[in-house]
Amino acid sequence: MNEFAHIELDEKRFADQTLQYILKNQNTSLESSLFIRILDPRIIYNDLNDHVAYIKERLSHLKFFIDYNTVEFKNMITGFSDQTYQTVKLLGDKKLEKENFSKEIFWANPKEEEAYQKISQFNSFEDKIVDEKKLYNVLINGPFFNVKGWILYYQALLDLKFAEFSEKIVSGKTTIKYKPFKGKYFLGIETDYQSCKINFRKGWWEEPEYKLIIFEKVETKKIIKVVTFEKFVHPHFDPPAYSFLWFFGSKTRYDVSDIETVTDDGTKKEFLSDGTVRLYNSNEFGDDYKRHAYFYYDMLYQTTKEYIKFIEESFDSEE
């Protein structure tokens, strides 16, 4: 145990807890998260209680690394692909089937649909008017995401799905949503959304980079970090649903033959009479992306609840 970190993370105990979580959540909307890394989506497992030994083996490849006050993890679990085009495509298709089925169950809940409608009323994309001579230089950065709208949406999703993190500290560009933890310590979700803003402007769609921190408060906006978890995600469910970049690819890439794939990001062109071009994107794509983000945040919350419980049990506040 690293005496500076107040924390000792037992991979075997965490695997046992994760196994119970998996068995409890089979045949629910959470099941698709199991097929991203742990289970082979080509196989029909039926009752997972009959596959406990196999699941235990799949969960045995995680290692935590504690360096003073920083925690990182590495999961050496093997994949199911032989890297051939046919296998990669088949696995992708099967995983997408699993996730789409989970989403059908999820969106059948009217409370989720109502909450989604309340926070998703923004345009996913912005129109651009550009000189025709600069058209193809600008198109490199398409599609043209509404950066401010998306960042506000991410913040709203964090507030909605992680409501218990009800307090906030804003310091410069960094925001920490936090709650009481153990003794004098607090647990916070930290981000600055800067990587998202940069990549949005390049036409890339990605989930925010969150860190989980345990800290002491010194003043209203001054804290001392005790432990920083470099990634706020359950290490066995990383990612908890398809990453935004993968989902974006699933919507914009099309197979035209067994060896050729084309990309269409949905950006449309309207040539205007004054020598300029209006560039715009489909709202249909935008709704798909917003719904996926909403589902992703819910899956992140459901899986990280278990991770936070494990961290709490592993943290010695008296040290």
Side-chain angles (χ1 to χ4, degrees), residues 245-273:
L245 185 60
W246 189 96
F247 186 78
F248 177 76
S250 75
K251 289 292 183 181
T252 58
R253 293 177 186 168
Y254 306 92
D255 293 326
V256 294
S257 72
D258 290 343
I259 60 172
E260 185 180 3
T261 299
V262 297
T263 299
D264 179 2
D265 63 20
T267 303
K268 310 298 183 184
K269 301 183 286 290
E270 180 185 357
F271 291 86
L272 305 177
S273 59

Side-chain angles (χ1 to χ4, degrees), residues 75-133:
N75 197 341
M76 298 300 291
I77 190 170
T78 56
F80 300 106
S81 175
D82 58 10
Q83 301 307 313
T84 62
Y85 173 83
Q86 290 79 8
T87 304
V88 169
K89 186 178 185 310
L90 177 60
L91 285 169
D93 291 344
K94 290 295 184 181
K95 288 180 182 180
L96 190 58
E97 284 180 17
K98 299 289 186 183
E99 184 157 299
N100 285 341
F101 183 66
S102 285
K103 285 177 175 176
E104 285 182 23
I105 300 172
F106 179 80
W107 289 113
N109 183 342
K111 290 183 178 179
E112 298 295 357
E113 180 66 32
E114 181 181 358
Y116 169 73
Q117 293 297 337
K118 285 181 178 178
I119 65 172
S120 64
Q121 301 304 310
F122 70 99
N123 292 325
S124 297
F125 306 104
E126 295 178 332
D127 289 4
K128 281 192 176 293
I129 305 295
V130 301
D131 189 294
E132 190 173 341
K133 295 177 182 177

Side-chain angles (χ1 to χ4, degrees), residues 292-305:
H292 181 72
Y294 187 103
F295 177 76
Y296 181 98
Y297 270 76
D298 187 82
M299 298 289 274
L300 180 67
Y301 173 68
Q302 299 297 340
T303 54
T304 54
K305 277 195 305 184

Side-chain angles (χ1 to χ4, degrees), residues 132-147:
E132 190 173 341
K133 295 177 182 177
K134 299 179 180 179
L135 172 60
Y136 291 101
N137 289 331
V138 176
L139 274 175
I140 293 173
N141 295 319
F144 305 104
F145 290 97
N146 175 359
V147 177

